[in-house]
Amino acid sequence: MKNIVLAAGYATRLYPLTENFPKPLLEVNGKSILDHLLSDLDVLDKIDEHIIVSNAKYAEIFNEWAAKSTYQKPIRVLNDGSVSNETRLGAVRDIIFALDECEVDEDIIVVAGDNLLAFSFSHFIDFAHEKNASAVMVHFEKDVEELRRCGVMIPDENMRIISMEEKPREPKSNWCVGSFYYYKKEDLPLIRASVEDGCGVDAPGSLVCYMCEKTAVYALEMPGARHDIGGFDSYEEVKKIYKGIIK
């Protein structure tokens, strides 16, 4: 199984901090955001390679980071060719780019390179295997304004996703989809054809909106906290949390 890390964004909300440096390599409590993620994923037996999808601006910085890394599994850095926020490919095209560039023909896990989790991915991978289907992680969100900023899914009684909508004005449930996805090998042809079939390209959740109408996609409630580092406030808060300053 391949671990695909989406790290080709330009993090404009963190300028000037990220104007010439990728957000996933920003430090939190002594190591980068990306290293926090990979320290868990790297020890999972089912994962055999980490694929980091970057852009032309930051690819060399990721290559330098990878050269110094000591992970068990190999790291491959891909340059998607984009040079600015305005010319970015979008998360869905970056997933397809990674599949084609690396000739992937096995299950994949897709993670956002700018998120931190207070739990292991192992249960999520086991969940997808138990369901024998593609899967996403979700959390129950009470704040309507927050729901309007994320992807909101409607599940059936078995947590299979019936439908999903990105940034809905009138959310139809409280289930917010996170930035972590498991896709079965059998579903890769659907992913490769998704953009030509009208799937949105910018948000990774757009692919879930598309996939749940084509195949079985199940949702697992996150067993712990997730920290999405978007701007300066969230970055400073995460640093305090990891230092134990705030709980």
Side-chain angles (χ1 to χ4, degrees), residues 65-195:
W65 161 84
K68 298 175 183 176
S69 298
T70 58
Y71 291 107
Q72 300 175 32
K73 315 297 171 57
I75 297 174
R76 190 180 334 192
V77 176
L78 301 182
N79 176 356
D80 73 1
S82 74
V83 296
S84 69
N85 192 54
E86 293 70 32
T87 62
R88 67 188 185 277
L89 299 188
V92 177
R93 285 199 183 103
D94 274 333
I95 294 170
I96 297 170
F97 170 68
L99 295 180
D100 292 345
E101 189 74 9
C102 300
E103 299 181 344
V104 177
D105 189 31
E106 58 192 281
D107 291 6
I108 62 172
I109 187 168
V110 179
V111 305
D114 59 355
N115 280 233
L116 289 173
L117 302 181
F119 55 89
S120 173
F121 281 96
S122 59
H123 182 47
F124 179 49
I125 292 175
D126 290 342
F127 173 81
H129 278 245
E130 289 166 8
K131 294 294 185 181
N132 192 29
S134 294
V136 302
M137 281 201 278
V138 299
H139 70 273
F140 192 85
E141 179 60 60
K142 296 180 181 179
D143 187 338
V144 174
E145 289 305 315
E146 184 61 32
L147 287 166
R148 287 171 175 161
R149 291 191 287 267
C150 67
V152 176
M153 69 97 181
I154 300 175
D156 67 11
E157 65 277 8
N158 297 311
M159 291 299 279
R160 176 173 172 170
I161 300 177
I162 299 172
S163 65
M164 178 180 156
E165 186 178 1
E166 275 289 337
K167 300 180 179 180
R169 184 61 196 162
E170 299 296 333
K172 296 181 176 63
S173 86
N174 294 92
W175 289 111
C176 182
V177 177
S179 301
F180 307 98
Y181 317 89
Y182 190 110
Y183 291 112
K184 292 281 294 177
K185 169 186 174 179
E186 292 78 9
D187 289 339
L188 298 188
L190 288 173
I191 296 176
R192 286 186 162 102
S194 61
V195 173

Side-chain angles (χ1 to χ4, degrees), residues 194-211:
S194 61
V195 173
E196 290 185 2
D197 198 29
C199 178
V201 300
D202 196 40
S206 296
L207 187 57
V208 181
C209 297
Y210 174 84
M211 296 290 286

Side-chain angles (χ1 to χ4, degrees), residues 4-18:
I4 298 176
V5 180
L6 300 177
Y10 290 85
T12 56
R13 285 188 291 163
L14 278 167
Y15 278 16
L17 196 60
T18 54

Side-chain angles (χ1 to χ4, degrees), residues 23-24 26 28 31-37 113-116 229:
K23 179 165 60 168
L26 292 177
V28 173
K31 62 181 181 180
S32 73
I33 298 166
L34 183 54
D35 283 311
H36 280 285
L37 279 171
D114 59 355
N115 280 233
L116 289 173
I229 301 169

Side-chain angles (χ1 to χ4, degrees), residues 36-56:
H36 280 285
L37 279 171
L38 293 192
S39 62
D40 172 62
L41 288 160
D42 191 60
V43 300
L44 302 181
D45 291 338
K46 293 182 176 69
I47 292 175
D48 59 22
E49 184 180 23
H50 306 296
I51 300 169
I52 316 297
V53 185
S54 180
N55 52 52

